[in-house]
Structure formats: C-alpha cells, structure tokens
Amino acid sequence: MQIKSYISKHLLSYLGGVLLLDLVLLCVYAFWLRPEVSSFLQNGSDHWLRPWVALFYPRFFSEYNRFSDAYFLQLADQVLVRLLLAQLVLLLCWLFSKHTTVSWAEDGLKYARFYIRCFALIGLLYAYDWIYSFYRLSFHASYYDPLSFLVLFPSFSFGWLVSLWVFWLLSSLYCLWRARGSLLPALLFIVLQAYLYSFGKLDHTYAPYTYVCLLIPFYERSLHQPVVGTALSWLQSMRWAIALCYVQAGLEKLMLGGWGWLDATHLRTYLWVHQRPAGLWLIEHSPSHLLLVFSLLVMLWQLSFIGVLWRRWRWLFLLGGVLFHLVNYIFLGIGWYWHSYVWCYVFFLNPRELGRWLRLYFE
Amino acid sequence: MPFVVLRDIYPFFRFGMFATPVQQAHYTERYDFYVKVAELHDWQLVPVQVLYLDESFFHYLMRRELAAGRADSLLQHLLKVYAKRRLPAISQAILLQWRLMPNGSLDSIVVAYADKELYK
C-alpha cells in the first residue's frame, strides 16, 4: 500500500515515457543498428561505423585480434541491456530512498572537520608518489595525448606539472590544517590525474578518491547552509560512490565474463599475466576447483559490497576489503594498504570509533 | 554512463579490469624487452622500470602500438630511453610477445627487432 502511494500519476506518466523510448531504442537497435554492427565486424575497413567505433570504443582496434566477432557483437548488445539495467537500478534506488532513513549519516554534521581533514590527508599521501610518476612519464612525453578537458590546458611538461603539484601540496596542507578549502585540492587532483592518464592507459586505481573529490566541495559548502539534511546527503553520496566502485567491478565481471567465471582458466590466466612469485606458485600447486572458488568469492563479495552502507554490516565489508586488497597484493602485486580504495574507508567511520580501535590495538 | 557505454568518460570510470573473459580470447599476451649487451652473447631481460615505465603501462603501450603497426618505432623510443640511463651499450634488442592460449600452451613471437645499424 505504501509503495502505491509513492507511484503517483506523475511518476507513472514518466515511467510510461521512458518505457516507450526504450521500446523505440530496442527496435532501432534490433532491426537496423545490430545488422550494421555485424557488417562492420565482417568487413569493417570502409564501413561508416568505423569512426564511431574509434570514438566510442577505441579498445576495439587493439582487441580485435584476440576475440571473435561474436564477442564484440555481444558487447554491442550489452550497451542496451546495461541501459535498461541502469534505469531499473535508478528506479529501485528511488523507491529505496523513500522507505529508508539512514541514521548514521548524522556523522556528516558531527564530524565534518574529520572528513575534510581525511580528504586532505589522503591527497597528501599520494602527492609524493605522483611527482615521481610525472618524472618517469616525462621520458615518454611523445606518447602524450590530452584526455578530455586537458586540451584546454598546457601540454605535458615536467616543469608545468611540478608547479601544479606544488599548488596541490600547499592547498592540501591548508585544507588539513584549517579543515576547509577542499575545492582547490579536489580540482587539482582531478587535473593532475588527467595528466597521469593522458598516455592512453586509464584505470580505476584512484576511482573512489576521485568521486570523493567531485563531491566533497559540495559537502563542505552545504555545511554552511541552513538546510541540515543537505550535508548528510552529500556524505551519504560519497559513501554510495565508494561502495558502487566495488559493485560495478563485480557487475562488469558478471556481465563480460558471465559463465566464464565458473572456470579456473580465468584466474589462472590473470595470475600468469602478473608474474608474481606467489601467483605463479598458486598456478602450480592449486587445484582448479580452489581457483574457481576464489574467483566466485571475489565476484560475490564485490557485488554484495553495497552492504557497507548499512551501519551494522559495514565492519564486515571494510575488514573484508582490507583482506581482499592484501590477497590482491600477494598474488597479483596490486594495492594493499597503500591502495586508495582502502584509505577511502575512513568515510565510513567516525573518529570516536577509530579512537576506540586504536586504543584496543595499542593497549 | 561509463557502465552503460562500456568506456571511461573521465573523471568517471568503467571497472572492466580483470573482467575480460579469457576463455573467449584466442590468446592472452604479455610482453618483454630483451637486449644483447655488446660484450656478452646472451639475451638479457630488461626490467621495464629501468625504462621509467611500470609494467601495466608498458603492456598497454605494447598492445596499442603493435595493433597500430608501430612496434618498431616503440622499440626505437625504448632504446633512446635506455641510452639515457648510461647502461652498458647494446648490440641488439627485441620486443617479445608471449601468448598464453586458453588450453594452457605458451608460445612467443618477436614483434620488433633492432640491431646496431637500426639503433641510432
């Protein structure tokens, strides 16, 4: 009965419009675009779709040797499936938000200075490392290709990046000291990261912190606004964004790999690619069904990570997260405590709880 | 959006790492850079960190340049960076591609080669 009251006439007409648009998209894709994609995959050199593929899916040209046409056709189908799935998730989130009050968002007001200081500290932790990354990339400047908005910025040069880096460092220190002024370090992080990824390879190493950077200036601004709930929802948005990084990683595995995850070859291949001693040992000594169980556990854990948003469950997911990044480090050489994902867990905690944990550890 | 359109739209990310189904791939590859130092006869593996690269970026660059038919020019570039490190002079260099097939067999292909003449 309660749900019915929310689905008002207005919402119904909106949903009807979206459904109709989906139906049109589905028909256009099935009867026109899908056969065109098929034809491009068979003889693509002069096909009109080629520049569009280069624009929207540049990886195709380095992957087409490795995969059959059926795989790429499946990817094209998935765009539509994912669009429908995203709509469904948005609808469920909307209904969920109407029925649930998230009590622990109150930390957003009480501990605002703590969260802003944590944001600055995480930035500083990476600051020293990035200057070395820019130094190394300066030897490969000929491969620089500006990413998105960077076309409006000066080209890659070590001197320019050192200047930006110094501003980032100073603004982060100011933010750490005064617990305000998050806008400048947040923007500088996004700009500097864009330079880091303007050599073609873009990965999600700093994704949760990037989302925090996008949201924290709004959070800080809302603290000075008379409407109390705004700050709470900005903190909650940061938590959602961090949790969804894991969920999306799990969803990608499920949607791209599908039943392939029920095969030990998958994990065995990735262990071989990374060539870490522990990983190579595991390939040699582990039975296939154990590798299969590891793969499944990772996917299920990532998909369920949304549970971290429930206060009573979050410790389970945060400790699981630390363990997950430790295992990744041992077998694949990725992450561990230095991973930005782990540092972003502080946004799920408050200083009182952290103090209690530290006391337990040291006493 | 990145989830729907299957690509990163910076500063929003797609989380496709480790998701590619290797069973459907004809092979999974990794790359190595080998040199023959002038006074020695054996090929030596050069850690890519010596060339101011991290492994994932090196593999990405190799895959991309190889697909675009520019593996030789990438090797020339790597040799220039190598020369800046003042390491022992080399007489020959290769970029090697290792291919792991879904059935577990492994083979290797030289995708770029440079000798003294080409190394300028």
Side-chain angles (χ1 to χ4, degrees):
Chain A
M1 287 303 284
Q2 245 184 336
I3 293 177
K4 272 186 182 172
S5 68
Y6 287 115
I7 305 176
S8 60
K9 277 183 185 173
H10 184 70
L11 176 67
L12 276 177
S13 61
Y14 172 72
L15 282 178
V18 172
L19 218 62
L20 191 69
L21 189 68
D22 287 345
L23 207 65
V24 172
L25 278 175
L26 200 69
C27 289
V28 170
Y29 178 73
F31 296 110
W32 176 66
L33 195 56
R34 196 172 194 274
E36 288 292 322
V37 172
S38 236
S39 137
F40 164 73
L41 289 168
Q42 279 157 18
N43 43 17
S45 52
D46 306 321
H47 202 278
W48 67 269
L49 266 176
R50 192 180 169 87
W52 291 100
V53 172
L55 183 67
F56 288 106
Y57 192 68
R59 283 164 63 96
F60 171 79
F61 298 100
S62 55
E63 282 190 340
Y64 75 93
N65 280 331
R66 290 178 59 217
F67 290 97
S68 63
D69 292 354
Y71 172 72
F72 293 108
L73 201 58
Q74 177 207 333
L75 288 188
D77 292 346
Q78 278 209 6
V79 174
L80 206 66
V81 174
R82 284 164 183 245
L83 181 70
L84 299 175
L85 188 68
Q87 286 172 8
L88 187 69
V89 169
L90 279 176
L91 181 69
L92 288 175
C93 285
W94 183 81
L95 287 173
F96 173 81
S97 67
K98 289 283 179 191
H99 284 272
T100 316
T101 51
V102 188
S103 57
W104 65 303
E106 69 204 17
D107 291 354
L109 276 181
K110 209 169 173 183
Y111 304 113
R113 291 164 70 84
F114 167 76
Y115 292 121
I116 292 172
R117 284 197 163 117
C118 281
F119 154 77
L121 185 67
I122 297 171
L124 285 167
L125 284 172
Y126 290 103
Y128 95 92
D129 189 40
W130 277 24
I131 196 67
Y132 183 54
S133 299
F134 291 131
Y135 171 71
R136 291 189 309 166
L137 284 172
S138 66
F139 287 90
H140 308 284
S142 52
Y143 290 97
Y144 174 74
D145 182 17
L147 182 73
S148 74
F149 58 84
L150 274 196
V151 289
L152 305 168
F153 281 67
S155 186
F156 187 98
S157 78
F158 189 57
W160 163 241
L161 286 161
V162 167
S163 318
L164 281 185
W165 177 79
V166 169
F167 273 114
W168 181 34
L169 201 69
L170 294 175
S171 59
S172 293
L173 280 169
Y174 175 82
C175 186
L176 183 66
W177 176 44
R178 300 297 301 269
R180 62 187 164 96
S182 60
L183 179 65
L184 190 58
L187 286 177
L188 285 169
F189 176 85
I190 289 165
V191 171
L192 283 166
Q193 186 180 224
Y195 275 105
L196 204 62
Y197 288 154
S198 284
F199 290 78
K201 188 178 184 306
L202 202 158
D203 60 50
H204 54 252
T205 308
Y206 303 101
Y209 187 67
T210 307
Y211 294 146
V212 169
C213 284
L214 291 170
L215 294 166
I216 206 155
F218 296 101
Y219 169 60
E220 188 191 330
R221 189 163 172 264
S222 67
L223 293 169
H224 310 293
Q225 286 176 349
V227 186
V228 173
T230 323
L232 310 185
S233 50
W234 283 116
L235 177 68
Q236 206 58 11
S237 305
M238 284 191 254
R239 289 169 176 169
W240 268 93
I242 296 165
L244 284 176
C245 291
Y246 286 97
V247 177
Q248 282 186 80
L251 270 177
E252 287 286 354
K253 288 181 180 73
L254 186 68
M255 297 194 74
L256 287 181
W259 295 108
W261 275 85
L262 295 174
D263 187 334
T265 313
H266 201 99
L267 182 56
R268 194 176 284 127
T269 305
Y270 282 117
L271 289 168
W272 172 79
V273 167
H274 286 81
Q275 294 280 307
R276 291 293 174 268
L280 295 174
W281 181 87
L282 198 66
I283 295 174
E284 284 290 314
H285 297 92
S286 172
S288 291
H289 62 266
L290 197 64
L291 293 179
L292 171 66
V293 169
F294 283 154
S295 304
L296 273 174
L297 276 178
V298 166
M299 187 167 67
L300 290 175
W301 178 78
Q302 287 186 327
L303 286 170
S304 62
F305 197 82
I306 200 76
V308 77
L309 293 168
W310 276 266
R311 187 165 202 159
R312 62 190 302 190
W313 293 109
R314 81 203 136 120
W315 288 106
L316 182 71
F317 288 98
L318 297 183
L319 290 174
V322 174
L323 189 68
F324 168 72
H325 290 293
L326 171 66
V327 170
N328 267 347
Y329 178 70
I330 293 171
F331 293 105
L332 298 168
I334 302 166
W336 183 208
Y337 67 89
W338 200 241
H339 204 293
S340 70
Y341 281 51
V342 174
W343 284 95
C344 284
Y345 290 173
V346 293
F347 294 99
F348 292 96
L349 305 169
N350 67 45
R352 183 176 287 182
E353 289 167 335
L354 272 178
R356 203 182 304 144
W357 269 81
L358 289 172
R359 271 200 302 278
L360 277 175
Y361 182 76
F362 287 111
E363 279 173 5
Chain B
M1 276 302 283
F3 175 72
V4 173
V5 298
L6 287 158
R7 67 161 299 177
D8 300 291
I9 305 168
Y10 187 80
F12 302 101
F13 299 90
R14 180 179 165 244
F15 295 82
M17 211 180 267
F18 302 110
T20 313
V22 294
Q23 296 88 347
Q24 290 182 40
H26 303 316
Y27 57 87
T28 302
E29 77 276 45
R30 60 170 281 121
Y31 299 91
D32 279 326
F33 177 50
Y34 280 92
V35 296
K36 207 176 244 188
V37 177
E39 309 90 66
L40 302 170
H41 297 292
D42 295 331
W43 287 101
Q44 290 181 354
L45 175 68
V46 180
V48 290
Q49 290 79 1
V50 169
L51 306 169
Y52 301 107
L53 288 164
D54 62 47
E55 273 199 26
S56 59
F57 181 47
F58 170 66
H59 291 305
Y60 166 80
L61 212 55
M62 272 305 308
R63 200 174 294 130
R64 190 185 73 180
E65 296 303 294
L66 188 61
R70 297 189 297 252
D72 283 325
S73 70
L74 176 60
L75 179 57
Q76 292 299 321
H77 168 74
L78 295 179
L79 287 170
K80 277 179 194 161
V81 178
Y82 183 95
K84 285 180 189 166
R85 296 301 308 260
R86 295 182 187 173
L87 292 162
I90 53 179
S91 56
Q92 293 171 79
I94 56 167
L95 287 170
L96 199 69
Q97 183 189 50
W98 297 95
R99 290 179 168 197
L100 181 69
M101 308 299 172
N103 63 10
S105 64
L106 187 68
D107 62 19
S108 60
I109 303 166
V110 174
V111 291
Y113 169 81
D115 59 18
K116 251 181 184 169
E117 301 302 312
L118 291 166
Y119 175 29
K120 291 161 191 164

